Amino acid sequence: MMLTVTGGQWFFPLVIICLILGIVATIAQKKKLTKLKRITDNFAYAILVILLIIEWILYFQKQFNFITPAIYTLVVIYLIGRQLLIRYRSSLLKKLGAKYKQLTIGLATIYIIYAWC
């Protein structure tokens, strides 16, 4: 099966990959396998970024209007930014101090803009 951006043949294998990834992440969380959990998280973030690139390619091919990839971009920025702030909270608090609060407020603003759209 040839995976093309415009044909839609990539969607079903992506759903299967996401299901497998979700099952592995659930098992890793239940059995407290932190290394496997990090691997699944990073793989999920990579899928998000790949889908973001596909969205923008489809926009530039005039298959979507601007709002679809723009909203998806806000979602990806919020999700990845939030997870990074959670994962590196203590080191960011030491390095940034009060600016850490501004980062969290900025991410909340992105979420509010997303919810408003």
Side-chain angles (χ1 to χ4, degrees):
M1 176 188 319
M2 180 70 170
L3 295 176
T4 62
V5 174
T6 59
Q9 294 91 351
W10 53 272
F11 187 71
F12 185 67
L14 179 67
V15 169
I16 299 299
I17 289 171
C18 289
L19 284 173
I20 292 170
L21 189 63
I23 291 169
V24 170
T26 304
I27 291 170
Q29 188 173 10
K30 284 183 181 179
K31 295 191 180 213
K32 309 254 191 256
L33 303 171
T34 57
K35 200 170 203 176
L36 183 60
K37 179 74 171 131
R38 282 191 191 137
I39 291 170
T40 56
D41 286 346
N42 291 337
F43 193 68
Y45 299 140
I47 289 174
L48 279 174
V49 171
I50 290 169
L51 285 175
L52 178 66
I53 292 168
I54 290 172
E55 289 278 334
W56 282 104
I57 289 171
L58 290 174
Y59 165 70
F60 287 117
Q61 289 181 350
K62 307 291 187 222
Q63 294 186 16
F64 284 144
N65 58 1
F66 176 75
I67 198 72
T68 303
I71 289 175
Y72 191 74
T73 302
L74 286 175
V75 169
V76 169
I77 289 171
Y78 175 75
L79 289 175
I80 292 175
R82 190 74 190 144
Q83 287 302 316
L84 288 174
L85 285 179
I86 290 171
R87 182 176 288 170
Y88 301 111
R89 184 176 192 268
S90 61
S91 63
L92 285 173
L93 276 172
K94 288 178 189 175
K95 290 180 182 177
L96 299 176
K99 293 207 185 254
Y100 178 81
K101 187 69 173 173
Q102 291 174 347
L103 278 173
T104 57
I105 290 171
L107 281 174
T109 304
I110 289 173
Y111 180 73
I112 290 168
I113 291 171
Y114 163 70
W116 183 64
C117 293

